Amino acid sequence: MNDKSDKLITDDGLRLDGRRADEIRPMKIEIGVLSRADGSCYLEWGRNKILVGVFGPREAHPRRSQRADSAVIRYKYNMASFSVEDRARPGPSRRSIEISKVSREAFEPVIMAELFPKTAIDIFVEVLQADAGTRTAAINASSIALADAGIPMKGLITACAFGKVDGQVVLDLNKEEDNYGEADFPVAMTQDGEITLVQMDGHLTPEEIKKGMELVKKGCKEILAIQQAALRKRFETPVEEVSEEKVIEKEAKKEELSAPKTAIIVEEEHEEAREIGAEISEESAEASIIASEVIPDFEEDLEEELEEELEEELEEELGEELEEEFEEELEEELEEEFEEELEKELEEELEKEFEEELEEEFEEELEKEFEEELEEELEEELEEELEEDLEEELEEDLEEELEEDLEEELEEDLEEELEEDLEEELEKDLEEELEEDLEEELEEEEAELEETLSLEKENIEPEAEAEPEVEEEEISTETAEAEEEGEEEKSEGPWKVVKDPSEAGTRGEKDE
């Protein structure tokens, strides 16, 4: 049954899904859908559903695949067995290998692989549902996943396809247009307009290609805008507007928290200053008494000098003590802050190391799973091939045996038929020879009897005429007996056909 409709494009210029010739299918993008991948993207384009995971840059294994001057880009495109109506055979096929190669080459001009020597950047593409244009959809999703992984690129890659349907050039073919259309032309380009991938399937004129390239540029601009909007939504965080009232409230809270400490410190300093002042006042009193007794003239000058010196000393001592206390407090605060920062850094480093270890373990598990799956697929393929070979060999052996049996049966049948034919021919020949011999013998005997009868008639008297009649009767009886014997001999079979040469009256004796 052919599911093709009469027209893929109506007289109004609309396609089966209601789009114009220069319109693309609706696109939906989700970023960061895989937690264990460095970058990931889920893309729906029409009825296409693509999942992409990016891992790396990471150490390339096996080591012989490493490059000393740049990273190795590895692209793996795979279609799930349930992605199409007829179940697809799992594992790599010629088509998936070809798409992986051209897609990798499309990304090589934009990825800055020279920044990560001796590493590998792995891009895994899984087509969950296919509806024409899966390679271009995979390239668009892979570009976003690479950006999500933070891999340096010169720009995003966008891809779209145009084709020829009912003699008209259209953009972004769907499944029906791809199946029953006249041409398919996928293109990938950078955001600067440099083309990195071109493929063609079908027949197009140079004018149709020029028109299609204009449509592709228009479609790629629309796709680029969708990609950029999705990435902005992923990485841009909205900034909250801070009012003056909130700032004043925060400063007031800080002052309230710091005020009690400063008050306690000031009170302690005042108490110490009072004690020191009391001691100094006592010393100054003693000194004034001595001075008044010894040198009454210079009492006032000495007091003033002593007071100034004591005040200076007190100020210096208080200043040093206050400085030491503030320094100790500052050191303690700085040490606490530094310890907190160190703890945070250590925690972050431990978390990173733990995440890296988990990623490495997960990658190893994934590699093992992939290896096991590949081994199972290879084993299944080998088993199928061996079964097919064995079936072919068994069929060939059976055919040969049947042919040999048939040949043997045919040979036996032929031999039996030939033997029967030979026996019949021999019997017929022998019967004919016997009949001829008997006829000849009878003719000869009759001739001899006639001669004898004629002679006897001439020489014997008429009285004895009755005797020849008796003889004739005897001869006739003898001939009858001979005929009966010949018939008996004839009925006995081909092995008793030849007469005994010793018998009288044979052909040879009569010839003599």
Side-chain angles (χ1 to χ4, degrees):
M1 294 294 290
N2 193 356
D3 297 333
K4 182 185 177 183
S5 60
D6 296 334
K7 285 186 177 182
L8 295 173
I9 298 176
T10 62
D11 297 332
D12 299 332
L14 296 175
R15 293 146 78 174
L16 294 178
D17 50 7
R19 292 182 292 146
R20 297 282 179 186
D22 60 345
E23 291 179 352
I24 63 172
R25 290 171 288 181
M27 185 179 289
K28 175 188 173 185
I29 296 172
E30 293 182 14
I31 305 174
V33 292
L34 299 176
S35 60
R36 294 181 178 178
D38 296 319
S40 59
C41 176
Y42 172 74
L43 183 141
E44 289 184 6
W45 193 3
R47 286 178 291 183
N48 284 321
K49 294 182 180 180
I50 313 290
L51 183 64
V52 179
V54 174
F55 297 85
R58 58 184 180 181
E59 188 176 0
H61 291 288
R63 291 185 181 274
R64 63 175 178 274
S65 65
Q66 294 178 355
R67 292 182 185 173
D69 57 344
S70 66
V72 180
I73 300 167
R74 297 186 293 204
Y75 193 103
K76 185 181 178 184
Y77 170 96
N78 183 54
M79 288 187 71
S81 58
F82 52 83
S83 61
V84 289
E85 292 177 357
D86 298 330
R87 181 180 180 276
R89 185 173 181 179
S93 63
R94 185 174 293 179
R95 178 179 175 276
S96 63
I97 292 166
E98 177 257 330
I99 292 173
S100 299
K101 177 183 179 295
V102 298
S103 301
R104 173 178 56 78
E105 291 173 353
F107 281 100
E108 283 178 349
V110 295
I111 295 175
M112 297 180 183
E114 64 275 7
L115 300 177
F116 308 102
K118 295 184 179 180
T119 61
I121 299 169
D122 292 313
I123 305 167
F124 295 96
V125 176
E126 192 73 20
V127 178
L128 304 177
Q129 184 170 305
D131 185 48
T134 55
R135 73 187 68 193
T136 54
I139 288 170
N140 291 327
S142 301
S143 180
I144 297 167
L146 287 166
D148 183 37
I151 292 172
M153 293 192 294
K154 297 174 184 176
L156 294 173
I157 293 287
T158 55
C160 193
F162 72 89
K164 188 177 178 183
V165 178
D166 290 345
Q168 186 176 348
V169 178
V170 298
L171 182 67
D172 188 17
L173 305 175
N174 59 23
K175 185 179 179 182
E176 290 78 13
E177 293 168 345
D178 188 20
N179 289 341
Y180 306 114
E182 300 164 30
D184 181 22
F185 200 105
V187 180
M189 61 177 65
T190 65
Q191 61 187 28
D192 298 327
E194 295 180 2
I195 294 171
T196 60
L197 167 66
V198 170
Q199 288 183 294
M200 186 176 76
D201 181 15
H203 300 283
L204 292 167
T205 63
E207 295 175 356
E208 290 170 343
I209 291 172
K210 287 179 183 177
K211 185 178 178 182
M213 290 302 293
E214 291 176 0
L215 291 175
V216 162
K217 287 178 182 177
K218 177 180 177 294
C220 286
K221 284 181 182 178
E222 293 178 9
I223 294 165
L224 179 62
I226 296 168
Q227 288 176 328
Q228 289 174 345
L231 289 169
R232 285 195 197 97
K233 186 178 178 182
R234 167 73 170 167
F235 293 108
E236 283 185 356
T237 54
V239 179
E240 294 181 359
E241 293 182 359
V242 182
S243 61
E244 293 180 358
E245 295 177 357
K246 290 182 179 179
V247 174
I248 293 165
E249 287 177 1
K250 287 181 180 179
E251 289 178 354
K253 287 179 181 178
K254 287 181 181 178
E255 288 176 358
E256 287 176 1
L257 292 170
S258 59
K261 293 180 180 178
T262 53
I264 292 164
I265 292 164
V266 171
E267 287 177 359
E268 290 176 354
E269 289 173 357
H270 281 298
E271 288 177 358
E272 290 177 357
R274 286 170 187 168
E275 290 176 358
I276 293 164
E279 291 175 359
I280 291 165
S281 63
E282 290 175 359
E283 290 176 357
S284 61
E286 290 175 359
S288 60
I289 293 164
I290 293 164
S292 60
E293 289 177 358
V294 178
I295 309 170
D297 296 333
F298 300 101
E299 186 176 3
E300 293 178 0
D301 294 333
L302 288 170
E303 286 178 358
E304 289 177 358
E305 289 177 0
L306 287 169
E307 286 178 359
E308 288 176 359
E309 289 177 358
L310 289 169
E311 285 176 1
E312 288 175 359
E313 288 177 0
L314 286 170
E315 286 176 359
E316 288 176 358
E317 290 176 358
L318 287 170
E320 289 176 358
E321 288 178 358
L322 290 170
E323 284 177 1
E324 288 177 358
E325 288 177 359
F326 280 119
E327 284 176 359
E328 288 176 357
E329 288 177 359
L330 287 170
E331 285 177 359
E332 288 175 358
E333 289 177 0
L334 290 171
E335 284 176 359
E336 289 176 358
E337 290 177 358
F338 185 68
E339 286 174 359
E340 289 176 358
E341 289 177 358
L342 282 174
E343 287 177 357
K344 288 179 181 177
E345 289 178 358
L346 289 170
E347 287 177 358
E348 289 175 357
E349 288 178 359
L350 289 170
E351 286 177 357
K352 287 180 181 177
E353 290 176 358
F354 186 66
E355 286 176 358
E356 289 175 358
E357 289 176 359
L358 288 174
E359 286 176 359
E360 289 176 357
E361 291 176 359
F362 180 66
E363 288 171 3
E364 290 175 358
E365 290 176 359
L366 279 176
E367 289 176 357
K368 288 179 182 177
E369 288 177 0
F370 280 122
E371 288 176 358
E372 290 174 357
E373 288 177 0
L374 288 171
E375 288 177 358
E376 289 177 358
E377 289 173 2
L378 289 171
E379 287 176 358
E380 289 176 358
E381 290 177 359
L382 289 170
E383 287 176 359
E384 289 176 359
E385 290 176 359
L386 288 170
E387 288 176 358
E388 289 175 359
D389 295 336
L390 287 170
E391 286 177 358
E392 290 176 358
E393 290 177 359
L394 290 169
E395 286 176 358
E396 290 175 358
D397 294 336
L398 288 170
E399 286 176 359
E400 290 177 358
E401 290 176 359
L402 288 170
E403 286 176 359
E404 290 176 357
D405 294 337
L406 289 169
E407 287 176 358
E408 290 176 359
E409 289 177 358
L410 289 170
E411 287 176 359
E412 291 175 358
D413 295 338
L414 287 169
E415 287 176 358
E416 290 177 358
E417 288 176 359
L418 290 169
E419 286 177 358
E420 290 176 357
D421 294 338
L422 288 170
E423 287 177 358
E424 289 176 358
E425 288 176 0
L426 288 170
E427 287 177 356
K428 288 178 182 177
D429 294 337
L430 291 169
E431 286 175 359
E432 289 175 358
E433 288 177 359
L434 286 170
E435 287 176 356
E436 289 175 358
D437 293 337
L438 289 170
E439 287 175 358
E440 288 177 358
E441 288 176 358
L442 290 170
E443 287 175 359
E444 289 176 356
E445 287 177 356
E446 286 176 359
E448 287 177 358
L449 288 169
E450 287 176 359
E451 287 177 0
T452 52
L453 287 170
S454 61
L455 290 171
E456 285 177 357
K457 283 178 181 179
E458 289 175 359
N459 296 323
I460 300 169
E461 294 176 355
E463 293 177 358
E465 287 179 0
E467 292 178 359
E469 292 177 1
V470 175
E471 289 177 358
E472 287 176 2
E473 290 176 1
E474 290 176 0
I475 290 162
S476 63
T477 54
E478 288 177 0
T479 54
E481 289 175 0
E483 287 177 358
E484 289 176 0
E485 288 177 358
E487 289 175 357
E488 288 176 359
E489 289 177 355
K490 183 178 178 181
S491 64
E492 287 177 357
W495 53 88
K496 290 187 179 180
V497 176
V498 182
K499 290 184 178 182
D500 190 0
S502 62
E503 293 180 358
T506 59
R507 191 190 303 173
E509 290 177 355
K510 288 177 183 177
D511 291 335
E512 291 177 357

